[in-house]
Amino acid sequence: EEGTHIGASFAVNDDLSLSIDRSTSDRDTQSVDEETTSYQAAYTMGSMTVKAHLTKADNVGYSSTATDENKALAVSFSF
């Protein structure tokens, strides 16, 4: 099994950061590659942080008809 992962992040300013990740997994015994793309954002304001991500996977489990998508939003506070 062989995999490739690449990601990039960018701090827009002291409060906002954005990133993207791309992964590909190749198994010799399968005819398709499993591919995942994820987008993330985080915003900090004082002691509060808001984070979000969207992740989409194609060919999950090396099946050409299987896809998966996840979304999340989180808010955290520090005291």
Side-chain angles (χ1 to χ4, degrees):
E1 188 167 319
E2 186 178 310
T4 303
H5 180 85
I6 188 166
S9 62
F10 179 68
V12 177
N13 55 37
D14 287 342
D15 301 322
L16 178 64
S17 62
L18 305 171
S19 61
I20 183 171
D21 299 299
R22 175 86 174 161
S23 298
T24 302
S25 181
D26 178 21
R27 186 176 285 169
D28 292 335
T29 59
Q30 303 296 326
S31 61
V32 295
D33 294 345
E34 189 174 84
E35 299 173 342
T36 305
T37 304
S38 183
Y39 305 92
Q40 303 92 29
Y43 179 76
T44 303
M45 183 173 52
S47 64
M48 181 184 78
T49 301
V50 178
K51 299 182 233 178
H53 82 87
L54 169 65
T55 302
K56 183 175 182 197
D58 293 317
N59 307 324
V60 176
Y62 302 98
S63 171
S64 62
T65 60
T67 61
D68 189 25
E69 188 172 293
N70 295 297
K71 301 171 190 168
L73 178 66
V75 178
S76 59
F77 299 89
S78 299
F79 297 100

